Amino acid sequence: MATEGFDAVTVARTAATAGISVGLVQHYFRTKDEMLLHAFTTARERLEQQIQDEAKRADQEGARIEEILLNALTRLMPLDERRRRECRVELAFTGRTVDNPKLAGALGRSNSHIRGTITQAVQNGKECGEVPEETDETAAAVRLLALTEGLRLHAYTEPSAIAARETIADELRRVFPGECHHRSGEQDVRRPAG
Amino acid sequence: MATEGFDAVTVARTAATAGISVGLVQHYFRTKDEMLLHAFTTARERLEQQIQDEAKRADQEGARIEEILLNALTRLMPLDERRRRECRVELAFTGRTVDNPKLAGALGRSNSHIRGTITQAVQNGKECGEVPEETDETAAAVRLLALTEGLRLHAYTEPSAIAARETIADELRRVFPGECHHRSGEQDVRRPAG
DNA sequence: GCCATAACCATACAGCCATACGGTTATGGA
DNA sequence: TCCATAACCGTATGGCTGTATGGTTATGGC
């Protein structure tokens, strides 16, 4: 999918690549759509997990929340060949959102989840002093994620024109202008909802 | 394409919808790819033109450049059914960017063009006082367009979660904090390059 | 009036795809 | 040991697609 596009992924090729038969693919997935949906949700879940893991780790090391977010969001950009491929795959899936409501739903839920993570991070920033009290953390998260995703899109077709990391860093500097007053690492970027 | 996706656009259906024969479609476009590329570039050119037209008109009425950009960028958002359809079509095309270099090139060029328009607007804002001298107009344009496109993407799958216009307005307020000192309407948002 | 060219049509075709189907082999609990 | 179930295979098939082909009708310059 990364190199030849969404349509190049046929059941037969998928089976061949996996070294199994078409029948076995059918054994696990009733339809091709089911298979693709599984692939997409799995990939997104892994992505969400990676972001949270990295955030947690950096947080325990006592890093600034601003820095944690910078790394987490930068890792989404197509900065090396591996990421470029990931972006291509996601773009291919996103395009199918148009005629596949299940994919659209999965994408929406995943984005909501990531936005929630960012919202929590900004809120934590408030509590530790990096973020001003009057900041609307939801709005800030919407802005941050939208900017990131837009940069991804543009960086993919025009890598030269976009200084992705610097642009994200700029935005984060605006959201996190303050100093943290307890840099010990007790908090978590994403706390349990309850 | 807006409702059934990219693949639903077959040569036969296109011909039928246009009320002509398959042969006639082939008479004007040697291949289906050629037809699709033409459709995409035409649509993008129209989009670019609309933005510039609106900017020019508003500018002649002596509007603030900030306001002009707000309207121009807001018109890209999926706020009504018509725009939603436009967004869906563009998303479908964008997804094909992955395996169609010509589409990718066209999209890149079009985005560059729009970014150029925005850059020029910010620069004009500098000259008239709305934008601080130290602003990097290219970076500002990259940010603005990326934010807009990201919001489009998210607003499409989760309209409720995104206050698109307000978010763009926020960003513009940051870029255009000053007052214009010659609100007479001599300038143009996009001047000829030479 | 001539005729190259453009506009236009219907159909044939070869290829590819998702899925259905009917089958065989392993596995693990009763 | 039995046997339901899971794991696994190969192939047939019907549908759809882009495109090639071979044609007819209009048009407009000379």
Side-chain angles (χ1 to χ4, degrees):
Chain A
M1 198 182 296
T3 55
E4 294 177 56
F6 198 92
D7 281 343
V9 180
T10 71
V11 177
R13 280 187 80 174
T14 304
T17 304
I20 61 177
S21 70
V22 173
L24 189 52
V25 174
Q26 289 177 304
H27 180 67
Y28 289 104
F29 303 104
R30 230 171 327 150
T31 64
K32 186 190 180 186
D33 267 21
E34 212 172 83
M35 175 183 89
L36 258 6
L37 180 61
H38 175 84
F40 184 58
T41 51
T42 304
R44 290 295 294 204
E45 278 163 14
R46 194 153 44 205
L47 186 77
E48 294 161 13
Q49 198 58 51
Q50 279 175 9
I51 291 177
Q52 275 180 230
D53 286 352
E54 183 169 350
K56 197 165 191 173
R57 186 171 46 76
D59 188 59
Q60 279 166 353
E61 289 169 6
R64 272 180 66 84
I65 297 179
E66 177 187 359
E67 192 190 343
I68 296 172
L69 274 182
L70 177 59
N71 287 333
L73 296 179
T74 304
R75 89 168 359 259
L76 296 176
M77 309 305 298
L79 295 174
D80 53 37
E81 197 49 40
R82 193 181 180 288
R83 308 276 165 81
R84 277 183 67 84
R85 288 173 69 87
E86 285 178 5
C87 282
R88 275 207 282 262
V89 171
E90 231 172 274
L91 191 54
F93 271 116
T94 305
R96 296 315 170 104
T97 276
V98 171
D99 59 308
N100 192 327
K102 287 186 181 172
L103 277 184
L107 179 61
R109 258 172 275 127
S110 178
N111 277 335
S112 278
H113 184 267
I114 294 176
R115 209 177 290 119
T117 304
I118 298 175
T119 305
Q120 187 64 56
V122 175
Q123 198 166 328
N124 290 347
K126 262 191 196 177
E127 281 164 27
C128 89
E130 288 183 47
V131 178
E133 271 303 320
E134 65 271 21
T135 298
D136 178 343
E137 61 262 17
T138 306
V142 167
R143 291 172 55 83
L144 268 168
L145 188 58
L147 182 64
T148 304
E149 204 102 32
L151 284 172
R152 275 182 102 182
L153 212 61
H154 291 165
Y156 160 60
T157 39
E158 313 150 273
S160 59
I162 314 290
R165 188 183 165 92
E166 195 45 47
T167 306
I168 295 175
D170 266 3
E171 174 68 17
L172 284 170
R173 230 168 277 140
R174 291 181 185 168
V175 180
F176 296 83
E179 280 300 317
C180 183
H181 49 246
H182 51 69
R183 296 271 287 272
S184 59
E186 284 307 300
Q187 74 230 304
D188 187 350
V189 169
R190 170 102 182 154
R191 295 184 194 164
Chain B
M1 198 182 297
T3 56
E4 294 177 58
F6 198 91
D7 281 343
V9 179
T10 71
V11 176
R13 278 186 82 176
T14 304
T17 303
I20 60 177
S21 70
V22 172
L24 188 52
V25 174
Q26 288 178 300
H27 180 67
Y28 288 104
F29 303 104
R30 230 172 327 153
T31 65
K32 187 191 180 186
D33 267 20
E34 212 172 85
M35 176 182 89
L36 257 7
L37 180 61
H38 175 84
F40 183 59
T41 51
T42 305
R44 289 296 294 206
E45 279 164 15
R46 195 153 44 207
L47 187 78
E48 295 162 14
Q49 198 57 51
Q50 278 175 10
I51 291 177
Q52 276 181 230
D53 286 353
E54 184 169 348
K56 198 164 190 173
R57 187 171 45 75
D59 188 58
Q60 280 166 353
E61 289 169 5
R64 271 179 66 83
I65 297 179
E66 177 187 359
E67 192 190 341
I68 295 172
L69 274 183
L70 177 59
N71 287 334
L73 295 180
T74 304
R75 91 169 357 260
L76 296 177
M77 308 305 298
L79 296 174
D80 53 37
E81 197 47 42
R82 192 182 180 287
R83 308 275 165 81
R84 276 183 68 82
R85 288 173 69 87
E86 284 179 5
C87 282
R88 275 206 282 262
V89 171
E90 231 172 275
L91 191 55
F93 270 116
T94 305
R96 295 314 170 106
T97 276
V98 171
D99 60 307
N100 191 328
K102 287 186 181 174
L103 277 184
L107 179 60
R109 259 172 273 128
S110 178
N111 277 336
S112 278
H113 184 268
I114 294 176
R115 208 177 292 119
T117 304
I118 298 175
T119 305
Q120 187 64 54
V122 176
Q123 198 166 328
N124 291 346
K126 261 191 197 178
E127 281 163 27
C128 88
E130 288 182 46
V131 178
E133 270 303 320
E134 64 272 20
T135 298
D136 178 342
E137 60 262 17
T138 306
V142 167
R143 290 173 55 84
L144 268 168
L145 188 58
L147 182 65
T148 303
E149 204 102 32
L151 284 172
R152 275 181 101 182
L153 213 62
H154 292 164
Y156 159 62
T157 38
E158 313 150 272
S160 59
I162 314 289
R165 189 182 165 91
E166 196 45 47
T167 306
I168 295 175
D170 266 3
E171 174 68 17
L172 284 170
R173 229 168 278 140
R174 290 181 185 168
V175 180
F176 295 84
E179 279 301 316
C180 183
H181 49 245
H182 50 70
R183 295 274 287 275
S184 58
E186 284 306 300
Q187 76 230 304
D188 187 349
V189 169
R190 170 103 180 150
R191 296 185 193 165

